[in-house]
Amino acid sequence: MRATTFVALRTAQSLLGLPGGVTVLDVTVTDPYAAEIVAQRITSDTGVQADSWIKTNAQFFTAVNAQQSSNTVIRAFVALSVAMGIASVLVVSVVQRSREIGILRAMGVTRAQVLRLFLIQGGLLGLGGAIVGCALGAGSLLAWQTLVRNADGTALFPINLSPMLFVVTLALATLTGLAAAFAPALRAARLDPVEAIGG
């Protein structure tokens, strides 16, 4: 079992028989991922051996990097599946409403207006889904933080719900919806009114 005791420097020097000396100095850096660069600079400037947490905890650092890579891959696949879902919904919508689109085109609605209509629909689908997802995610996190506590009643770990994270998520979801809607919208805009009305 390991224990840590905090005492004054002179007391520790006296206890360990190191008058005027120290064995280890810990340095805190602003950017934890720059620790290895700082350690190399200390070694080159002073000649003192400096080991970063990255070097001493190589396995942990590798695991953190692997987790970040897997998170990126998961996000990419989620974005792709969302885009495919929106595109499939709009393709079905174009097929089901082709007669209505043909009537609108025969009444003078331009291709640009039809294109814009489906792009807006795709963007709104992405935005609406993101709003629901953000609300469910934030609500679940807050409920979990309220229900799961340490033995002393404090939170297991702090949860920081940054407003900017929600803004970026909503913007990306809307852009994904617009991108996914482009092909179905183009198909709808290119429908021939005569063929669409005739079925």
Side-chain angles (χ1 to χ4, degrees), residues 78-94 115-127 171-188:
V78 167
L80 185 62
S81 63
V82 166
M84 295 297 287
I86 291 173
S88 63
V89 166
L90 290 178
V91 165
V92 171
S93 178
V94 169
L115 183 69
R116 193 161 48 245
L117 175 69
F118 279 92
L119 285 176
I120 290 171
Q121 186 177 352
L124 289 176
L125 277 172
L127 179 63
L172 283 175
T174 305
L175 289 174
T176 302
L178 286 171
F182 185 75
L186 201 59
R187 179 179 175 181

Side-chain angles (χ1 to χ4, degrees), residues 148-172:
V148 181
R149 295 285 204 178
N150 288 319
D152 60 356
T154 58
L156 202 58
F157 57 84
I159 294 174
N160 180 25
L161 297 176
S162 168
M164 185 53 64
L165 179 63
F166 291 103
V167 171
V168 171
T169 302
L170 295 176
L172 283 175

Side-chain angles (χ1 to χ4, degrees), residues 31-199:
D31 180 7
Y33 294 103
E36 184 61 30
I37 297 168
V38 173
Q40 289 173 2
R41 190 181 306 151
I42 290 171
T43 301
S44 64
D45 291 348
T46 64
V48 175
Q49 179 184 349
D51 293 327
S52 70
W53 73 272
I54 296 171
K55 186 176 179 181
T56 55
N57 299 284
Q59 274 188 320
F60 172 75
F61 189 69
T62 303
V64 168
N65 275 343
Q67 184 180 15
Q68 287 178 341
S69 300
S70 62
N71 282 345
T72 304
V73 171
I74 289 168
R75 287 188 192 121
F77 276 109
V78 167
L80 185 62
S81 63
V82 166
M84 295 297 287
I86 291 173
S88 63
V89 166
L90 290 178
V91 165
V92 171
S93 178
V94 169
V95 171
Q96 290 179 340
R97 293 159 59 186
S98 58
R99 184 166 295 193
E100 297 169 26
I101 296 166
I103 293 170
L104 288 173
R105 291 279 290 115
M107 291 173 63
V109 174
T110 63
R111 288 185 174 181
Q113 288 173 322
V114 174
L115 183 69
R116 193 161 48 245
L117 175 69
F118 279 92
L119 285 176
I120 290 171
Q121 186 177 352
L124 289 176
L125 277 172
L127 179 63
I131 289 170
V132 173
C134 286
L136 286 174
S140 299
L141 276 175
L142 293 173
W144 182 82
Q145 187 182 37
T146 304
L147 296 172
V148 181
R149 295 285 204 178
N150 288 319
D152 60 356
T154 58
L156 202 58
F157 57 84
I159 294 174
N160 180 25
L161 297 176
S162 168
M164 185 53 64
L165 179 63
F166 291 103
V167 171
V168 171
T169 302
L170 295 176
L172 283 175
T174 305
L175 289 174
T176 302
L178 286 171
F182 185 75
L186 201 59
R187 179 179 175 181
R190 288 177 175 172
L191 278 175
D192 183 83
V194 177
E195 290 180 6
I197 292 170

